[in-house]
Amino acid sequence: MWGDWGEIPRSGLSYAALHNAVFAFLAKRFATFLATLFAASVLTFVALEVLPGDPARVILGVDAPDSAVAALRQRLGLDGPPLERYLDWIGHLARGEFGVSYTYSVPVIELVRDRLQVTVPLALLSMALAAALALGLGLYAAAHHNRRGDVVVMGLSQLGISIPSFWLSLLLILAFAVSLNWFSSGGFPGWRNGFGPALAALVLPAVALATVQAAILARFIRSAVLDTMREDYVRTARAKGLSANATLWRHVLRNALIPVVTILGLQFANLLAGTIVVENVFALPGIGRLVLQAINNRDVVVVRDVVVLIAAAVIVINFVVDLLYAAIDPRLRARDV
Amino acid sequence: MTFVRRALRHRSFAVGAAVTMLFAFMALLSLVWTPHNPTRINVRGRLAAPSPDHWLGTDQFGRDVLSIIMAGAQNSVAVGVVAVAIGMVGGVALGLLAAACRGWIEETIMRAADFLFAFPAILLAIMLVATLGSGAVNAILAIGIFSVPVFARLARASANAIWTREFVLAARASGRGPWRITGIHILPNIASVILVQATVQFALAILAEAALSYLGLGAQPPTPSWGRMLSEAQPLIFQNPMLAVYPGIAIALTVLGLNLLGDGLRDLIDPRLTRSRT
Amino acid sequence: MTLAVENLSVTLATARGPLAAVRGLSFTLGRGESLGIVGESGCGKTMTALAIMGLLPEGAEVGGRIVWDGQDLLSLADDAMGRLRGRRLAMVFQEPMTALNPVQTIGDQIAEALLVHDLADRVGAMREAVALLERVGIADPERRVRGYPHQLSGGQRQRAMIAMALACKPDVLIADEPTSALDVTVQQQILGLIRSLAAERGMAMLLISHDLAVVAGNVARLLVMYAGRGVEWGETAQMFGALAHPYAQGLFRSAPARALTATTRPRRLPTIAGQVPDLVTLGEGCPFAERCDLVEEPCRSRMPEWQALAPEHRVACRRAEESLRRWKP
């Protein structure tokens, strides 16, 4: 908290040691990151290509002549030995070359680029909303442990966890689009037509997504804060003369955030899954809607590439969380060396 | 006896158990009786308001909403039971294996679990559906597979704690093999924790199934399902908003009941008393 | 500025009912004086210390008075108490492993004490932290001030804790088992450090320990506690010459240091027969009655009055004379 170190000289030795430790930590986490990414691509490939079922046959129907099916298989890149096709696919992906959509006849990367302009702001907006809401509620509940405020917040969070996000979306549409007419019930005007309308179109979906996330997060924050408040160093801080509030902000919160950050990372996977559903409720042209449409059109190329992209996004987020973790907890930097 | 009395006095357990039993009863009852046939289409009785004959009114196909909700409970219960069974059997077996073998086997299983944990379950469901086509079975499979790592992690952590206890040490000293010890000592001791998790996973499975059905990736028509009721109600939300409300209440209540039941069970099995320091 | 504890009682709420952790405890600690409180774990030593600091756990009920500088600390509001905590009354805790915040540097944690009480600006507080670390005997303080607790050994952490407690030059230093978690070789260094710092700065010191040997050489007066009550009080040398309470004698005999030095051959450590009483169900009589070989019927029903054995030596025991007669230091 006191960033200014004054005139105290920096010791060169310790700085170098710290630098090495951080580097070793990053290297190890990066290796895990690559391994996980590899596993995700294999899983996707195996799920889509080795499982029984023939997308080409599904697209063309049971009555289609075998020759047509074979031709489509070739077009979809479903020919040849699996290993060869996997290497071919992953090799292209590594160079940033995505497949070409069967239904749109457009490179997948272009489809994705447009859709990300909806999904990324939506995910960030709802994560921010969820984190802010959960932090407030969780801290409030912990500070009022076992009192009325705590019971109310925990009851609300229990309710929030139980409500499916797509139903909450429908309720929000009912309340704010049908009855009050504050927001539209769906669709997206695009960013080119002004920032305000585009953002307004994302408000209800973000609230729907954030509510569930916040309900889960608030519980974790509450119990993490309660656990931390029992620690000896919190008593030490009080013994120094810090007020209960100052102790909460300066000593409890940062330590309590360590377990919360892990949950936040895992929550992000849920959040992305949630965007798939919520985008469809609000007819938002995002990644989730793209995937669903691709499935309905049996566009295997799009499904495969987008699924790997989403998985990669989740893995990247978890990697970032790992780094964040190390930034919060100095013990970790040393432990892994 | 004392456990039963303690359980009935525990508020969230009692409420959760009551709500859960209500929905289980509704699912069972719907097997033999519903007010109307939940799949019979009646074009003349479309979108009827609630009446003594149709308590919750009818949908755009003239079907009785209460009957569909009752029959939909069947679908939710079936999906929950099967998916949790898949996840529990697979996960507990892997977790016990990891705890019994340690070393690289444990490491491999846990890394795989970590990985699956970070992978959105709905994505696998989407992939399965893309190859195999939509359907309740694929949805169940996807939900089940993705609850495997949850059970595996929990089973391993709990089993590892039991492995260090004295009575296990004694059993090892008397020459019992790891599999016998797992069967006799470890599994019975972690069963209660697993049971608590199973109720929570049951709730999550119902939520996931509803979402998949809403997207058209779960139960296919004419099988009654809460998720699909909501997707069918959405286009009519301006004329007939209540159609989008009833099935949601059914989902939320069931999930809430199961969550309360799980919380209550956890408290009853492991009462954490307030620690005091001297 | 005298710290006077008058008829202090602390009652904790437990699942089994109210637990009387401290009952009717009184003592005074004048400016620059030192007092050691000795007793087994659970005898109420720590609760006494926390009561003085106003840091009792939630749900604890406290009675009596703790008078310092003319005001009753127990009646102060938390923010008023906060201005005294760390500034006038400081405390060193038992577990240096857990009593330091793992995610803040040592320097930040020491500087915080100064900043909270507006005794320095940031730069000055950091410079003071370095000086304090040097004073408590930590090598390379410029580097350590940037280090985190996990990078220090147990002894160094306790030194850092002491530096933190000393930062605002308090009038009273309470050290609760400051060496129990440390290696034996480090224990005496830390105790010596606390004693010399207290003398150097004219601080009053309250040293709390279960180990009579730890306390004896470092304090001018001793208070022996048992099951929440004070049972014997006196000037240290005077007391060791004439330990009167049967419990205090047992405590002395079971101390390992004496067992090894008093005889040429190692012998079995004597132990006190029986068990510490249950503080939830304990009655009004002498708490040691059930374990005492000199017990009389009245001991069981009423707590014995304090009696003076010397001007600086008091004991709360009905059979003090008989007990004293068999005492061989």
Side-chain angles (χ1 to χ4, degrees), chain B residues 14-40:
Chain B
V15 173
V19 173
T20 306
M21 277 181 342
L22 177 77
F23 277 94
F25 174 74
M26 208 165 84
L28 286 176
L29 179 67
S30 72
L31 287 173
V32 291
W33 179 82
T34 48
H36 296 267
N37 182 345
T39 55
R40 207 191 62 214

Side-chain angles (χ1 to χ4, degrees), chain C residues 5-84:
Chain C
V5 172
E6 297 167 7
N7 201 22
L8 177 72
S9 69
V10 177
T11 308
L12 304 175
T14 69
R16 297 187 303 129
L19 180 150
V22 180
R23 307 211 282 179
L25 186 72
S26 302
F27 62 83
T28 58
L29 182 66
R31 174 191 284 260
E33 288 182 356
S34 58
L35 174 73
I37 299 186
V38 184
E40 292 162 87
S41 57
C43 75
K45 301 168 297 195
T46 299
M47 285 303 147
T48 305
L50 293 177
I52 297 170
M53 295 296 290
L55 292 176
L56 284 169
E58 218 172 306
E61 275 184 51
V62 58
R65 292 179 0 127
I66 297 176
V67 181
W68 188 79
D69 199 12
Q71 49 191 343
D72 181 7
L73 299 183
L74 297 180
S75 65
L76 283 186
D78 192 63
D79 58 332
M81 196 60 213
R83 284 193 286 275
L84 297 180

